């Protein structure tokens, strides 16, 4: 079919411009109203500058009764009002596009996000909620040209073609200008809506500059200029005698029904070819399709009947030379509702059915809304017939409302609505209560319930409903139950599946509401099938077994494990192995090459194993022929047998065809590179060996070598293993003994040279008689990380014998040779303790009191007072030990307490008689308590005064007393008669050596200190005969020293002896000594010790609580034997 009539050009051009305004968008004037309803959609509204629109929700007429409220939704969310977006009092929505601040036509960037979007309204009425179709609102815009026209040269009477392309909303109208002047409407100038300009029969006057102009409500754009040059006919060699060529072929086009379609076809040739159009399917072209220009097809209102493949044919006149081009036109049809659902009114527990039919191309999909929300088919609600039928069973009050059928395809949407009214009668029974579902097995459930509370006597029966609780499009099943039954056993259920049950009661008037649903999960069952197997061999001795997990429909529960069985094809012996349920593959090792194996698998749930799969045959690959030496043995394994032997196992090399004659085992201590320590054992064809003669607790490395016939293979990988520990072979080394005090000896030692394991304990044996049996010696123990200790509670000036041993977790080792040590000789100060000092102080005080009482009595009886000559500090002839000058040293608080107990408790309230006052002054003068020297305060002082208040001692011997005149002397007349035989034992001994600093000081005379000059009628033999007396200085804080100086009366340095004594006494006071004890010193061993486990320069750190000593016991004796007590010091 060909058209050559150009006289219709002006009419067709005018028709084209009229149709360009209809493009599927709604072009708005300054303000307009758009109706939103449940009809055809979606609508598209484009707002230009200074344009506004009102979206009117037209669902109010469809809703029965007066609507209560209108809600607007934008892009699925609640609408937020804005200056250019607000809801009117009547429920409509007003929108406008704001102008840019600079006055341009471009939209404000913020307004794009606020205004543009998909709008829909929801109307709440008495029966429910209705939702409108969506309306898409966009702001007008116009982009730049993406394709500009290009310059060209055309011969006279030829065809010139320019093309441009631009995007915009709404779609811009394209016009052309020549030399910046709009082209006139001429039949030779064909302007297509898609931006193409065709100039037919080009003349010389057509030469010039052409440009494309795009215009829409957002503005106007100009393309770049393109020059058209006109050449004389035949001047272009490329066109002379040219064959037929289609310059612009038609393109595949898809449009919506009612839109404009232009199919372009431009051909060139010499002479000018003729163009014709046909349909490829042979159907005639519709009469409403016109030719635009000479070669283009124009369909003003495309309809589905226009769809098809169109063929353009260009033929050179009077020849058979032609060219063709084809394109497919597809016209889509928006959905249309052919049968809308009808409103229904149903009683409770009845069934409602809505039917909806729609057409469109492509075929529309149907979905349903209930009160504006998407409806999901489940249980009682079913969608059938491809979505065109909605069935609701067991209707309840919750099912009332509006149901909307929405048809959708790529061309648009369509909608129809219907209402469902649920009628409820009076006197109906209430819903059954306490519905329970108990699983009995993998396919059976027991459902029980209780009768309704209201109108229970009118019930004539029940109906039990159940369905799967998960998934969509589940089918609901129901059973009719008699009135006298309140339980039912439901069978034929699927294993490992969730089900939902509910019950409805019926009376003569109708059905009750549905009960509260009860959920239940059926029990697992054995799998109903076995997994699918696949077998492969990565090497000649392995089979890779792989399988696919069972789907839930076949597993009947959670698969917890798989069992793989295998064996040789013709043997009855079957091996099996199990793997967890999350595994999907397994490798079978150590199989025979070139053999046929059979394998099968079965799956298990908590209920047990299901049926096994069929046996699957698999032939193992053949072993490749090996050339060269044999491979090393495989699967070498070592295990410690004892402290001196190790077992070694191995297997024949894998993948070898060489005959193995024997094996060689190479071993040596681990980490040594001395070849002289490497040992070789040659084994027979056996695959194990026991290697003996090894050292205990030592790591060795092993390697095994295979030997073939006249050829040796390489050694395999090295295997490392240690022998078991044993008892120590040697005792602790470098034992050193040194006496510290008359009762303490320090021991130092080093670990054994051959410990044969980790030392867990050291044993110390000692005795003062080495001829005694060993079980009568005293045994002390220390931790294995201690290398120094002190033994306490020994006798002074005594020879002791020591020996040591070490113990591992296996047992003790030998003891060292005997070593002896003599403890230090005990001095006088060693025999003084706190109780002795306290007794001396109390005795001195009592003696002074008695002496003063006698003096006072003698003076009062004397009728005359004689001056007494002063006493000389030198010894008297014939009695060298009659006089001693003593100072009372510091006393402990118990001594002060004892002294205070001798005093009146309330001395401040006691007033002596005048005679006593005089006697007290005399006594004070006899005591020689001067008051002039009161500046010095000694570190040692006797606290004679009570803690609070002024004591009698302070007033008697204090520094504040005034000088009472010349100090009187004491004569022999005051002494008791010699015939009485009484001996005054007054040991007022003050040892200046007790001072911690050892320095001699002048005796300070101050408060709470008393000096007395007395005549002693006895010697110090009593004190010498009591070696248990000890003196302590509680204020001394000097630690013990390893060596003590000699402290002998009249020999050595008294200051040095006093310092040593002070340190010793202070140490014992802090330690609270016991008869015997061992003190561990957490210090590193001497530098002569060799620690193989310590790196050079590393300090051995021993924790403070590592010295936890045990109660010593005789070696080998029972726990009931006596032993020395032991205590530890931190």
């Amino acid at each position: 079919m060909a058209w050559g009539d150009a006289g219709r050009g002006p009419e067709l051009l005018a028709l084209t411009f009229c149709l360009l305004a209809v493009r599927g968008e709604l072009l708005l004037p300054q303000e307009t109203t758009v109706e939103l309803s449940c009809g055809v959609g979606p609508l598209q509204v484009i707002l230009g500058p200074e344009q506004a629109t009102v979206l009117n929700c037209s669902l109010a007429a469809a809703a029965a009764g007066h609507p209560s409220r209108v809600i607007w939704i934008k892009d699925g969310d609640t609408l937020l009002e804005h200056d250019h977006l607000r809801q009117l009092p009547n429920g409509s929505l007003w929108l406008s596009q704001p102008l840019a601040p600079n006055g341009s036509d471009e939209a404000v960037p913020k307004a794009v996000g606020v205004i543009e979007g998909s709008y829909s309204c929801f109307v709440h009425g008495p029966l429910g909620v209705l939702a409108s179709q969506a309306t898409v609102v966009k702001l007008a815009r116009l982009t730049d040209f993406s394709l500009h026209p290009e310059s060209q040269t055309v011969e006279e009477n030829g065809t010139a073609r320019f093309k441009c392309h631009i995007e915009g909303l709404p779609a811009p109208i394209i016009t052309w200008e020549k030399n910046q002047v709009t082209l006139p409407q001429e039949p030779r100038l064909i302007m297509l809506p898609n931006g193409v300009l065709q100039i037919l029969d080009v003349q010389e006057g057509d030469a010039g500059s052409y440009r494309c102009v795009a215009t829409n409500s957002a503005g106007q754009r100009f393309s770049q200029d393109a020059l058209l040059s006109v050449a004389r006919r035949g001047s272009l060699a490329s066109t002379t005698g040219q064959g037929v060529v289609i310059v612009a072929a038609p393109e595949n086009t898809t449009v919506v029904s009612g839109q404009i379609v232009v199919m372009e076809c431009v051909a060139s040739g010499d002479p000018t070819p003729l163009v014709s159009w046909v349909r490829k399917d042979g159907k005639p072209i519709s009469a409403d399709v016109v030719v635009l220009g000479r070669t283009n097809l124009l369909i003003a209102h495309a309809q589905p009947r226009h769809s098809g493949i169109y063929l353009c044919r260009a033929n050179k006149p009077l020849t058979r030379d032609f060219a063709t081009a084809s394109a497919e036109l597809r016209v889509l049809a928006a959905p249309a509702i052919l049968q809308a659902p009808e409103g229904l009114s149903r009683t409770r527990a009845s069934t409602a059915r809505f039917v909806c039919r729609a057409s469109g191309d492509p075929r529309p999909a149907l979905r349903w809304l209930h009160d504006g929300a998407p409806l999901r088919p489940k249980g009682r609600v079913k969608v059938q017939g491809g979505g065109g039928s909605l069935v609701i069973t067991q209707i309840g009050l919750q099912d009332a409302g509006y149901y909307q059928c929405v048809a959708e395809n790529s061309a648009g949407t369509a909608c129809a609505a219907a209402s469902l009214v649920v009628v409820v009668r009076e006197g109906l029974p209430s819903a059954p209560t306490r519905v329970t579902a108990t699983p009995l097995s993998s396919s059976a459930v027991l459902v029980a319930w209780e009768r309704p509370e209201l109108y229970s006597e009118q019930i004539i029966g029940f109906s039990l409903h159940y369905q799967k609780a998960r998934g969509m499009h589940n089918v609901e099943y129901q059973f009719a139950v008699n009135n006298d039954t309140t339980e039912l056993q439901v069978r034929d259920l699927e294993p490992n599946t969730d089900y939902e049950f509910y019950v409805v009661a019926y009376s003569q008037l109708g059905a009750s509401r549905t009960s509260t649903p009860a959920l239940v999960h059926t029990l697992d069952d054995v799998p109903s099938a076995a997994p699918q197997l696949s077998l492969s061999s990565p090497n000649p001795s392995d089979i890779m077994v792989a399988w696919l997990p069972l789907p839930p429909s076949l597993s009947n529960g959670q698969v917890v494990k798989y069992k793989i069985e295998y064996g040789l094809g013709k043997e009855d012996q079957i091996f099996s192995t199990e793997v967890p349920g999350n595994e999907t593959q397994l490798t079978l090792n150590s199989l025979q090459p070139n053999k046929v194996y059979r394998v099968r698998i079965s799956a298990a749930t908590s209920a047990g194993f299901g049926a096994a799969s069929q046996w699957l045959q698999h032939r193992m690959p053949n072993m490749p022929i090996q050339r060269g030496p044999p491979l090393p043995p495989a699967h070498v394994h070592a295990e410690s047998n004892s402290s001196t032997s190790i077992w070694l196992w191995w297997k024949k090399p894998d993948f070898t065809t060489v005959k193995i004659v024997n094996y060689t085992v190479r071993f040596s201590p681990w980490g040594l590179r001395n070849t002289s320590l490497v040992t070789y054992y040659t084994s027979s064809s056996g695959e194990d060996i026991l290697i003996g003669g090894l050292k205990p607790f030592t790591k060795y490395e092993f390697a095994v070598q295979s030997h073939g016939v006249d050829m040796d293979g390489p050694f395999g990988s090295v295997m490392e293993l240690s022998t078991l520990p044993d008892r120590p072979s040697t005792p602790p080394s470098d034992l050193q003994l040194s006496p510290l005090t008359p009762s303490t000896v320090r021991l130092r030692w080093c670990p054994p040279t051959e410990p044969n394991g980790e030392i867990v304990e050291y044993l110390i044996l000692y005795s003062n008689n080495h001829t005694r049996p060993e079980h009568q010696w005293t045994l002390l123990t220390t931790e294995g990380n201690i290398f120094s200790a002190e033994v306490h509670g020994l006798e002074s000036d005594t020879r002791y014998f020591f020996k040591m041993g070490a113990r591992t977790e296996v047992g003790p080792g030998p003891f060292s040779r005997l070593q002896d040590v003599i403890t230090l000789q005990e001095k006088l100060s060693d025999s003084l303790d706190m109780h002795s000092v306290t007794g001396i102080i109390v005795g001195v005080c009592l003696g002074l009191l008695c002496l003063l009482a006698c003096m006072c009595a003698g003076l009062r009886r004397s009728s005359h007072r004689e001056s007494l000559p002063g006493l000389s500090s030198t010894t008297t002839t014939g009695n060298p030990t009659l006089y001693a000058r003593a100072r009372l040293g510091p006393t402990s608080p118990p001594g002060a307490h004892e002294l205070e107990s001798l005093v009146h408790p309330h001395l401040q309230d006691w007033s002596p008689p005048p005679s006593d006052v005089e006697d007290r002054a005399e006594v004070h003068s006899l005591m020689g308590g001067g008051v002039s020297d009161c500046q010095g305060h000694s570190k040692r002082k006797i606290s004679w005064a009570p803690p609070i208040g002024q004591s009698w001692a302070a007033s008697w011997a204090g520094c504040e007393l005034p000088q009472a005149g010349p100090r009187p002397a004491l004569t022999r007349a005051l002494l008791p008669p010699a015939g009485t035989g009484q001996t005054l034992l007054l040991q007022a001994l003050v040892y200046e050596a007790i001072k911690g600093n050892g320095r001699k000081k002048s005796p300070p005379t101050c408060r709470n200190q008393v000096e007395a000059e007395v005549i002693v009628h006895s010697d110090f033999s009593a004190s010498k005969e009591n070696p248990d007396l000890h003196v302590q200085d509680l204020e001394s804080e000097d630690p013990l020293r390893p060596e003590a100086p000699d402290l002998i009366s009249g020999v050595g340095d008294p200051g040095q002896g006093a310092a040593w004594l002070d340190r010793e006494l202070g140490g014992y006071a802090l330690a609270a000594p016991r008869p015997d004890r061992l003190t561990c010193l957490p210090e590193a061993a001497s530098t002569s010790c060799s620690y193989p486990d310590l790196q050079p320069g590393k300090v051995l750190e021993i924790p403070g609580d590592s010295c936890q000593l045990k109660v010593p016991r005789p070696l080998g004796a029972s726990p009931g034997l006596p032993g020395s007590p032991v205590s530890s010091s931190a």
Side-chain angles (χ1 to χ4, degrees):
M1 168 178 185
W3 294 269
D5 188 3
R8 300 176 58 187
E11 299 177 2
L12 295 176
L13 186 60
L15 177 63
T16 301
F17 280 103
C18 292
L19 295 174
L20 290 179
V22 184
R23 298 180 180 275
E25 297 93 359
L26 185 57
L27 301 178
L28 299 178
Q30 292 300 319
E31 183 169 335
T32 186
T33 300
V34 179
E35 300 292 334
L36 275 71
S37 63
C38 183
V40 178
L43 298 176
Q44 188 176 37
V45 177
I46 299 176
L47 287 178
E50 299 182 357
Q51 288 184 341
T53 185
V54 175
L55 303 182
N56 186 19
C57 192
S58 303
L59 296 174
H66 183 72
S68 59
R69 56 181 176 143
V70 177
I71 298 177
W72 287 90
I73 300 297
K74 177 178 180 289
D75 297 331
D77 296 328
T78 303
L79 184 66
L80 298 178
E81 295 191 7
H82 190 264
D83 293 341
H84 303 276
L85 176 65
R86 61 179 181 270
Q87 187 173 350
L88 301 178
N90 62 352
S92 300
L93 189 65
W94 179 84
L95 305 93
S96 67
Q97 178 182 354
L99 290 178
N102 54 7
S104 63
D105 294 338
E106 297 181 358
V108 179
K110 293 183 179 179
V112 175
V114 174
I115 303 299
E116 289 190 340
S118 178
Y119 294 82
S120 57
C121 65
F122 292 82
V123 175
H124 291 251
L127 298 181
V129 181
L130 275 174
S132 71
Q133 290 282 56
T135 297
V136 179
V137 177
K138 294 185 178 181
L139 301 181
R141 63 175 60 91
L142 185 62
T143 64
D144 294 330
F145 281 91
S146 58
L147 178 64
H148 295 269
E150 297 180 355
S151 301
Q152 54 186 292
T153 301
V154 180
E155 291 183 351
E156 292 181 348
N157 297 327
T159 301
R161 181 178 181 272
F162 295 99
K163 183 178 182 180
C164 64
H165 182 74
I166 191 174
E167 297 287 344
L169 281 177
I173 299 176
I174 305 299
T175 58
W176 289 87
E177 293 181 350
K178 176 188 176 183
N179 297 329
Q180 299 183 1
V181 177
T182 303
L183 287 175
Q185 297 182 3
E186 296 183 9
R188 293 187 309 107
L189 304 178
I190 309 299
M191 288 174 283
L192 302 181
N194 57 355
V196 174
L197 171 63
Q198 297 176 358
I199 304 176
L200 306 179
D201 299 333
V202 174
Q203 306 296 326
E204 185 177 356
D206 296 329
S209 175
Y210 292 83
R211 69 177 181 181
C212 182
V213 181
T215 305
N216 68 359
S217 57
Q220 191 177 57
R221 295 286 187 273
F222 297 92
S223 71
Q224 298 177 2
D225 292 343
L227 295 178
L228 174 61
S229 301
V230 179
R232 288 182 298 128
R233 188 176 182 82
S235 61
L236 299 179
S238 59
T239 59
T240 304
Q242 178 187 7
V244 178
V245 177
I246 296 181
V247 178
E251 298 177 352
N252 296 332
T253 305
T254 299
V255 295
V256 178
S257 178
Q259 291 184 341
I260 299 174
V261 177
V262 175
M263 305 188 73
E264 181 185 15
C265 184
V266 177
S268 64
D270 187 20
T272 302
L274 300 177
V275 177
S276 61
W277 290 87
V278 294
R279 287 178 61 113
K280 192 173 182 179
D281 56 5
K283 295 181 180 179
I285 295 179
S286 301
D288 55 355
V289 178
V290 298
V291 176
L292 183 59
R294 298 176 181 175
T295 60
N296 308 298
L297 286 184
L298 174 64
I299 304 175
H301 296 278
Q303 298 297 325
R305 67 177 185 275
H306 295 132
S307 297
I309 298 177
Y310 290 80
L311 183 65
C312 169
R313 179 186 176 98
N315 187 52
K316 183 182 289 188
L318 305 176
T319 65
R320 294 185 177 182
D321 187 11
F322 65 92
T324 60
S326 62
E328 181 181 7
L329 173 62
R330 185 180 181 187
V331 180
L332 303 181
I337 300 297
L338 302 179
Q339 181 181 355
E342 298 178 356
L344 300 175
S345 178
R346 296 288 186 269
T347 59
R348 192 164 59 187
S350 60
T351 301
R353 180 185 298 272
F354 296 98
V355 179
C356 180
R357 299 285 183 268
S359 64
D361 187 18
R363 183 177 178 179
L366 298 179
R367 60 185 179 92
W368 292 85
L369 302 177
H370 178 213
D371 284 343
L375 181 66
R376 296 183 178 180
K378 182 180 180 181
R380 300 181 302 104
V381 181
K382 305 179 185 65
V383 176
Q384 302 172 350
S389 178
L390 175 62
V391 180
I392 306 173
T393 59
Q394 293 295 321
I395 293 175
L397 292 178
Q398 68 274 16
D399 298 321
Y402 285 103
Y403 290 85
Q404 293 175 265
C405 170
V406 180
E408 296 176 324
N409 67 4
S410 57
T413 60
C415 176
S419 62
L420 173 61
V421 179
V422 179
V423 179
V424 180
R425 299 177 181 177
E426 295 292 338
L428 292 176
S430 59
T433 60
R434 298 184 180 180
V435 179
T436 61
T438 305
L440 301 178
S441 66
S442 61
S443 60
V445 171
L446 178 63
V447 183
W449 63 91
E450 293 185 3
R451 301 175 66 86
E453 297 177 355
L454 300 178
Y455 304 105
S456 176
E457 66 281 356
Q458 301 180 6
I459 294 177
I460 60 176
F462 299 94
S463 63
L464 174 63
H465 306 256
Y466 72 94
Q467 63 178 345
K468 292 182 179 179
R470 299 181 183 273
M472 299 179 62
H473 306 288
N474 295 324
V475 179
E476 181 178 285
Y477 302 91
Q478 64 181 8
F479 292 97
V481 185
N482 295 330
N483 180 30
D484 56 352
T485 302
T486 57
E487 66 178 17
L488 181 66
Q489 189 175 132
V490 181
R491 302 180 180 274
D492 299 328
L493 303 178
E494 296 182 8
N496 189 36
T497 306
D498 293 325
Y499 283 92
E500 182 182 76
F501 295 84
Y502 67 90
V503 183
V504 178
Y506 289 87
S507 67
Q508 295 292 347
L509 298 178
S512 69
R513 294 182 291 105
T514 59
S515 67
T516 302
L519 298 177
V520 67
H521 184 84
T522 54
L523 303 179
D524 292 353
D525 200 355
V526 297
S528 55
Q532 295 182 355
L533 274 180
S534 64
L535 306 177
S536 61
S537 290
N539 52 63
S541 63
D542 296 343
I543 294 180
M544 176 68 73
V545 183
W547 60 91
L548 296 176
L550 289 173
S553 59
L554 298 178
S555 64
N556 296 334
Q558 180 68 34
V559 175
V560 295
K561 57 183 175 180
Y562 296 96
K563 181 169 65 176
I564 293 90
E565 300 174 285
Y566 63 98
L568 289 172
K570 296 182 179 180
E571 294 183 3
D572 295 334
Q573 186 178 9
I574 299 299
F575 303 94
S576 66
T577 181
E578 295 182 359
V579 297
N582 57 352
E583 300 289 340
T584 57
Q585 64 180 13
L586 174 68
T587 301
L588 304 177
N589 300 316
S590 303
L591 305 181
Q592 301 180 21
N594 200 25
K595 296 290 184 178
V596 177
Y597 282 86
R598 52 178 180 168
V599 184
R600 68 178 180 180
I601 188 173
S602 57
T605 61
S606 60
F609 279 99
S613 63
Q614 297 294 328
W615 287 105
L616 188 60
Q617 303 288 337
H618 179 75
R619 176 175 288 277
M620 301 295 295
N622 196 4
M623 184 70 68
I625 298 176
Q626 179 183 354
R627 301 183 184 276
L631 299 176
H635 310 291
V636 180
H637 175 68
E639 182 177 341
S640 299
N641 183 62
S642 67
S643 61
T644 58
S645 60
I646 291 179
W647 270 109
L648 203 63
W649 293 277
W650 61 87
K651 290 186 178 181
K652 183 181 178 180
D654 296 333
F655 321 123
T656 182
T657 57
V658 177
K659 182 179 180 180
I660 303 299
V661 177
N662 54 18
Y663 301 93
T664 295
V665 177
R666 181 190 69 193
F667 68 94
S668 63
W670 178 82
L672 297 181
R673 296 295 181 262
N674 192 350
T675 56
S676 62
L677 299 178
V678 179
T679 307
Y680 296 88
Y681 280 162
T682 299
S683 173
S684 60
S685 58
E687 297 179 353
D688 59 354
I689 189 174
L690 179 62
I691 302 176
L694 306 178
K695 293 183 179 181
F697 202 61
T698 304
K699 183 184 288 187
Y700 287 87
E701 55 184 22
F702 303 87
V704 186
Q705 177 187 29
S706 302
H707 298 283
V709 179
D710 299 331
M711 63 179 62
D712 299 332
F715 280 95
S717 58
V718 176
M719 170 70 65
E720 299 175 357
L721 189 65
S722 298
T723 54
L724 298 178
D726 202 350
R727 300 169 181 264
S729 301
T730 59
S733 61
D734 196 18
L735 175 60
Q736 299 178 9
L737 306 175
S738 59
L740 295 182
T741 67
S743 62
T744 305
V745 172
R746 171 172 291 179
L747 290 81
R748 297 178 183 271
W749 64 90
C750 292
T753 56
E754 296 181 4
N756 296 338
E758 182 180 355
I759 301 298
V760 298
E761 194 175 46
Y762 285 103
L763 311 175
I764 303 175
L765 280 178
Y766 72 93
S767 176
N768 56 4
N769 186 359
H770 68 279
T771 61
R772 289 182 182 177
E774 199 171 62
H775 66 272
Q776 295 183 2
W777 290 42
T778 303
L779 172 64
L780 304 177
T781 60
T782 67
E783 298 294 335
N785 58 351
I786 300 297
F787 303 99
S788 178
E790 293 180 0
V791 180
H792 301 275
L794 305 179
E795 296 181 3
S796 63
D797 196 19
T798 305
R799 185 178 183 180
Y800 282 91
F801 300 90
F802 287 85
K803 56 183 177 180
M804 287 192 64
R807 187 173 69 84
T808 64
E809 61 182 3
V810 179
F815 280 87
S816 64
R817 63 180 179 84
L818 284 178
Q819 294 193 32
D820 60 339
V821 64
I822 299 178
T823 57
L824 299 178
Q825 185 177 4
E826 187 175 22
K827 305 303 185 297
L828 175 62
S829 59
D830 298 335
S831 62
L832 297 180
D833 57 4
M834 177 179 290
H835 298 287
S836 300
V837 174
T838 304
I840 291 173
I841 296 176
V842 173
V844 170
C845 295
L846 293 178
L848 289 176
L849 292 177
C850 293
L851 181 60
L852 293 175
C854 294
M855 293 170 59
C856 294
L859 292 175
R860 295 182 65 178
R861 291 192 187 99
S862 178
S863 58
H864 63 278
R865 297 183 179 269
E866 298 178 358
S867 60
L868 298 178
L871 293 178
S872 176
S873 61
T874 60
T875 60
T876 306
T877 306
N879 191 4
T881 58
L882 289 179
Y883 170 74
R885 187 174 184 270
R887 173 190 293 272
L888 289 179
T891 62
S892 59
H897 177 72
E898 294 177 10
L899 184 61
E900 291 170 0
S901 65
L902 302 176
V903 186
H904 192 279
H906 303 287
L907 294 178
Q908 63 273 19
D909 301 331
W910 172 68
S911 177
S915 60
D916 293 340
V917 174
E918 297 176 359
D919 295 341
R920 187 178 62 180
E922 295 176 358
V923 171
H924 177 70
S925 64
L926 291 175
M927 294 295 296
V931 297
S932 60
D933 187 7
C934 294
Q935 286 78 16
H937 292 275
S938 174
K939 181 179 180 182
R940 303 177 178 272
K941 53 183 176 294
I942 302 176
S943 180
W944 285 32
I948 303 175
Q950 185 75 16
S951 69
W952 66 274
S955 62
W956 179 24
C959 295
E960 69 273 12
L961 291 178
Q963 182 67 29
R967 183 176 61 180
L970 185 62
T971 64
R972 297 178 185 267
L974 294 179
L975 296 177
T980 60
Q982 298 179 357
T983 302
L984 178 60
L985 177 60
L986 183 58
Q987 294 186 348
L989 305 178
V990 177
Y991 297 95
E992 289 294 333
I994 297 178
K995 289 301 230 175
N997 51 18
R999 294 191 299 266
K1000 297 186 64 176
K1001 299 181 181 179
S1002 60
T1005 303
C1006 192
R1007 182 175 302 181
N1008 297 337
Q1009 294 188 357
V1010 177
E1011 292 185 359
E1013 294 180 349
V1014 296
I1015 298 176
V1016 182
H1017 291 266
S1018 178
D1019 55 13
F1020 297 152
S1021 60
S1023 63
K1024 294 182 180 178
E1025 292 177 359
N1026 187 5
D1028 296 331
L1029 295 179
H1030 297 278
V1031 179
Q1032 281 190 336
D1033 185 0
L1034 295 179
E1035 296 176 337
S1036 176
E1037 298 180 355
D1038 294 340
L1040 295 175
R1041 298 295 177 89
E1043 298 180 358
D1046 295 333
L1047 186 61
I1048 303 175
S1049 178
V1051 181
D1053 184 6
Q1056 183 180 2
W1060 174 85
L1061 180 59
D1062 195 7
R1063 291 194 299 270
E1064 294 297 326
L1065 294 179
Y1068 281 106
L1070 292 175
R1074 297 173 58 182
D1076 282 323
R1077 77 176 177 187
L1078 174 68
T1079 300
C1080 297
L1081 302 179
E1083 60 185 13
S1086 61
T1087 56
S1088 61
C1089 297
S1090 174
Y1091 303 99
D1093 296 335
L1094 290 179
Q1095 299 177 0
K1098 183 176 181 182
V1099 178
L1100 178 63
E1101 296 182 0
I1102 301 175
D1105 58 352
S1106 62
C1107 181
Q1108 299 177 359
L1109 304 184
K1110 304 179 181 178
V1111 176
R1113 61 189 182 280
L1115 181 62
S1118 64
L1121 294 178
S1124 301
V1126 176
S1127 64
S1128 61
S1129 62

